[in-house]
Amino acid sequence: PMKLRVGEMEKTFKEGISPVMGKPLTWHLPKGIYKRFTVLAGLQAGLGDKGRVEFTILGDGKPLGTITLNGTDPAHAFECDIAHVSSLQLATTGRGLDPKSNYAVWAEPVLRK
């Protein structure tokens, strides 16, 4: 199960993705259908405690949001405008000294019309 720190608590998520560092996840979207994209980004509670990861959301190759989180930081909620985006990417880059602890998680991704 995927677990993230949300505020002061740990929460288990049923919907989410744990990608390979440096390998962006890409979705092709029909233009003009979706307006917003929301997702929680963080490091797996417990396994990722010593990690440090930069999370980036790209729309048509342009940054829509980015944040670097340490392993014990709470998850970050992204909300991005994707009204004119046809290619949505979720990218992770290891930024810490212990790459074995970079257990990145994108949880509860939602496309909204």
Side-chain angles (χ1 to χ4, degrees):
M2 292 175 285
K3 291 183 182 180
L4 293 177
R5 285 179 184 80
V6 179
E8 297 294 320
M9 304 184 70
E10 286 184 12
K11 183 177 176 183
T12 301
F13 293 88
K14 294 180 184 178
E15 309 255 337
I17 303 161
S18 185
V20 174
M21 281 298 118
K23 304 284 184 187
L25 304 167
T26 303
W27 289 271
H28 298 286
L29 306 174
K31 270 197 172 179
I33 300 295
Y34 298 104
K35 299 198 183 310
R36 308 290 298 162
F37 174 70
T38 60
V39 67
L40 283 173
L43 280 85
Q44 172 82 23
L47 293 175
D49 285 355
K50 295 181 182 177
R52 182 174 169 85
V53 174
E54 179 181 297
F55 293 85
T56 304
I57 299 176
L58 301 152
D60 296 332
K62 298 175 186 168
L64 301 177
T66 188
I67 191 165
T68 300
L69 296 173
N70 294 310
T72 56
D73 290 341
H76 177 76
F78 283 99
E79 184 171 343
C80 303
D81 178 1
I82 59 165
H84 303 287
V85 169
S86 61
S87 176
L88 181 67
Q89 285 190 309
L90 304 181
T92 53
T93 305
R95 296 290 184 213
L97 298 174
D98 185 4
K100 293 178 184 177
S101 294
N102 289 339
Y103 289 93
V105 173
W106 297 96
E108 294 186 336
V110 177
L111 293 168
R112 301 187 189 280
K113 292 184 176 185

